[in-house]
Amino acid sequence: MERTDFKHIHLIATGGSIMHNLALALHDQGIRVTGSDDEIYEPAKSRLAAAGILPAEEGWFPEKLNDKPDAVILGMHARADNPELLRAQELGIPVYSFPDFIHELSRHKQRIVIGGSHGKTSITSIIMHVLQHCGRLFDYAVGAQLEGFDRMVRLTDDAPIIIIEGDEYLSDPIKRVPKFHLYHHHIAVISGISWDHINVFPTPEVYREQFRIFAEMTPKAGTLIYNQDDEQVQLVAVPRNPADINYIGYTVHPHSIINGKTILHTKKEGDVEIPLFGEHNLRNISAAKEVCKKIGIKAPDFYEALKTFKGAAKRLEKLGEGSNTVIFRDFAHAPSKVKATTEAVKTQYPQRKLVACVELHTFSSLNKNFLPQYAGALDKADVPIVFFSPKTVEHKRMEMLSEEDLRSAFGNPKLQVYTDSAALLEHLKGMNWQNANLLLMSSGTYQNLDLETLKKAVL
């Protein structure tokens, strides 16, 4: 089915982060968009309302399918017994997962898929920033709101390429396969493999297998770009048919850190100062550079664009900065991400005390069997703090954690544990912030921690 055949599309779970962006992108193309969800929060609610496609009320309404839309897109938030899904199946309406649909609308484009346990959002956003800087036409689907882009999804008729952040989590409640298996890439990146999503992939081996499948989906004449410093990646990125597939390994970009500034060393462009920092981001830059090279971006243009790239939202994002204090916010929550982000801030500001706080919020991070993966993750912090909400543990119907469980798992006797956001806020407000940085890492909100009050107290 060509995209011109889609006149009306219905989204089940339209309020999700990526799903509501897809709804807006389709609406931008003149397609009639309807949808449903049992919960829609900001900013999705306001954005959908502004476009005139916010559902009149929350909930599931099978009668919405009676108009027989051309397609239904099923979000992961929905369940397999969703009444709207059952009605669509009864009526014989084509049902797509998000990745299925993206692939359907990009069949005639070159598909570049960025995969990995960590770094995929940053690599994707670097590539997008460079392409935009160079005036290139491209579509995209990325998991974070990026500066300079008003959507997380763009789908057009004219763009010859599409840049996709390839999440390894499940695509939908029916097919239940990793999203990045469904895009059918021409160029792929594997940035790193570190066990995650224990509720879906119960062992590190099962998790790693998903990346092996992804790597082996690289087609003849395709390209696999991989982190050559990651042992787990090396296990899945083994060249099979080097005559047919282009394998490109990458490592940390040559650089120096001078007075808190990151300077890239290049062969022909000289030294280039950039806003990004951290060894993990210097690997991300190398990965992005290899992708950009494959699609015709010249080195001078790549480095010129990097000078103005500030990073994706919640990726070492500066919430505030004083004369000798910076507050950073980062999406890091998995062990490898927490470790890399903590080390990055300490390495960039070695003379400053580092207060690093991570919220355990996901199913994996709150699972006692998974907790040992965090061993050493906060060792570079002078003041390591872990926060979790007992209500979240209860909601997920998991075994409650104790302070001793966490100190043992992190292997850090200095670890402080908080379970109440008000108490955490008071503790942080009372600290001495002279020549000290604060790093907040979470995929949640620290139980709605008052960031504005915190900023006023710290800076």
Side-chain angles (χ1 to χ4, degrees):
M1 181 179 282
E2 298 294 331
R3 66 174 294 114
T4 51
D5 291 331
F6 292 118
K7 306 297 183 185
H8 175 198
I9 294 175
H10 183 80
L11 287 81
I12 300 176
T14 192
S17 177
I18 196 73
M19 286 287 282
H20 91 269
N21 273 277
L22 175 59
L24 293 169
L26 295 172
H27 176 73
D28 289 345
Q29 293 300 305
I31 296 171
R32 180 189 172 201
V33 175
T34 57
S36 298
D37 211 323
D38 59 354
E39 51 184 13
I40 304 178
Y41 301 110
E42 296 294 351
K45 181 173 285 189
S46 295
R47 299 181 80 196
L48 290 171
I53 54 175
L54 178 69
E57 56 182 314
E58 294 183 354
W60 311 114
F61 304 94
E63 61 271 19
K64 288 186 178 182
L65 280 300
N66 291 345
D67 284 350
K68 294 199 70 174
D70 300 306
V72 165
I73 304 174
L74 179 63
M76 190 59 202
H77 172 64
R79 298 180 183 275
D81 62 354
N82 182 280
E84 292 189 9
L85 170 61
L86 297 179
R87 181 60 174 156
Q89 292 170 330
E90 179 185 334
L91 293 172
I93 300 169
V95 177
Y96 296 86
S97 66
F98 174 87
D100 278 328
F101 190 76
I102 294 296
H103 174 252
E104 182 67 32
L105 264 65
S106 62
R107 283 184 177 274
H108 305 300
K109 302 177 188 290
Q110 183 181 36
R111 292 180 296 279
I112 300 164
V113 180
I114 316 301
S117 305
H118 43 264
K120 54 184 174 288
T121 300
S122 294
I123 295 170
T124 306
S125 56
I126 293 170
I127 296 166
M128 288 170 54
H129 178 82
V130 171
L131 291 177
Q132 182 165 271
H133 177 88
C134 294
R136 292 283 293 271
L137 188 63
F138 65 100
D139 288 346
Y140 59 82
V142 62
Q145 192 64 54
L146 307 180
E147 185 175 334
F149 296 87
D150 61 352
R151 300 274 192 269
M152 292 161 61
V153 178
R154 180 163 65 200
L155 299 167
T156 66
D157 291 319
D158 302 329
I161 62 174
I162 182 169
I163 314 299
I164 303 169
E165 179 181 345
D167 188 1
E168 71 274 17
Y169 198 70
L170 300 181
S171 61
D172 64 87
I174 301 176
K175 191 171 291 184
R176 296 184 64 82
V177 299
K179 294 186 183 77
F180 64 177
H181 291 179
L182 300 175
Y183 295 119
H184 301 283
H185 61 268
H186 301 101
I187 299 173
V189 174
I190 302 181
S191 61
I193 300 175
S194 181
W195 186 30
D196 199 359
H197 309 305
I198 187 175
N199 55 319
V200 176
F201 309 115
T203 68
E205 292 75 22
V206 171
Y207 181 74
R208 186 179 65 220
E209 176 68 6
Q210 311 314 310
F211 289 89
R212 184 195 63 76
I213 295 169
F214 176 61
E216 293 191 356
M217 292 179 75
T218 305
K220 187 173 182 178
T223 299
L224 179 62
I225 298 167
Y226 64 96
N227 178 0
Q228 66 187 37
D229 299 326
D230 188 303
E231 291 182 2
Q232 294 297 307
V233 172
Q234 291 177 21
L235 292 175
V236 305
V238 179
R240 305 183 321 280
N241 302 302
D244 295 337
I245 296 173
N246 188 19
Y247 293 85
I248 301 174
Y250 68 88
T251 186
V252 176
H253 195 293
H255 68 285
S256 297
I257 301 173
I258 303 172
N259 297 325
K261 302 293 184 182
T262 299
I263 312 297
L264 298 182
H265 304 313
T266 73
K267 292 180 179 179
K268 296 183 179 180
E269 313 312 315
D271 289 347
V272 179
E273 182 180 324
I274 60 169
L276 283 188
F277 67 88
E279 185 174 283
H280 62 302
N281 275 326
L282 291 158
R283 278 196 179 85
N284 295 337
I285 287 170
S286 292
K289 183 174 182 291
E290 294 295 346
V291 172
C292 288
K293 183 178 178 182
K294 290 296 296 183
I295 55 178
I297 300 296
K298 303 298 184 184
D301 295 327
F302 178 82
Y303 288 114
E304 186 63 31
L306 271 187
K307 294 177 183 178
T308 56
F309 181 71
K310 299 177 182 177
K314 297 183 182 179
R315 269 70 177 181
L316 282 175
E317 175 186 0
K318 285 186 180 180
L319 286 182
E321 184 172 11
S323 57
N324 53 22
T325 302
V326 182
I327 303 176
F328 292 100
R329 174 171 60 177
D330 198 279
F331 192 72
H333 52 89
S336 60
K337 299 176 185 178
V338 171
K339 187 173 189 292
T341 305
T342 303
E343 290 180 352
V345 176
K346 188 61 179 179
T347 301
Q348 197 75 4
Y349 301 90
Q351 303 306 317
R352 293 187 188 179
K353 179 174 72 175
L354 174 58
V355 181
C357 183
V358 60
E359 178 183 14
L360 304 182
H361 180 72
T362 65
F363 186 97
S364 293
S365 66
L366 292 169
N367 189 304
K368 281 190 178 182
N369 294 326
F370 186 80
L371 274 179
Q373 302 295 316
Y374 284 94
L378 289 174
D379 282 1
K380 292 294 183 179
D382 300 287
V383 181
I385 301 173
V386 167
F387 173 86
F388 75 93
S389 167
K391 290 184 179 179
T392 301
V393 178
E394 292 171 2
H395 178 72
K396 294 180 184 293
R397 298 178 181 178
M398 302 176 70
E399 183 181 352
M400 190 57 64
L401 304 176
S402 68
E403 291 190 19
E404 185 51 42
D405 289 332
L406 294 169
R407 289 198 181 93
S408 175
F410 277 80
N412 194 324
K414 298 188 298 181
L415 191 72
Q416 301 177 29
V417 178
Y418 284 85
T419 58
D420 179 78
S421 60
L424 174 62
L425 178 60
E426 289 306 309
H427 174 68
L428 294 175
K429 285 168 58 179
M431 294 183 66
N432 179 5
W433 291 100
Q434 185 68 27
N435 202 34
N437 288 336
L438 172 60
L439 171 60
L440 298 170
M441 296 173 283
S442 177
S443 60
T445 65
Y446 287 92
Q447 212 176 22
N448 297 315
L449 183 71
D450 189 339
L451 294 178
E452 289 304 315
T453 298
L454 179 60
K455 284 167 59 176
K456 291 177 182 177
V458 171
L459 298 177

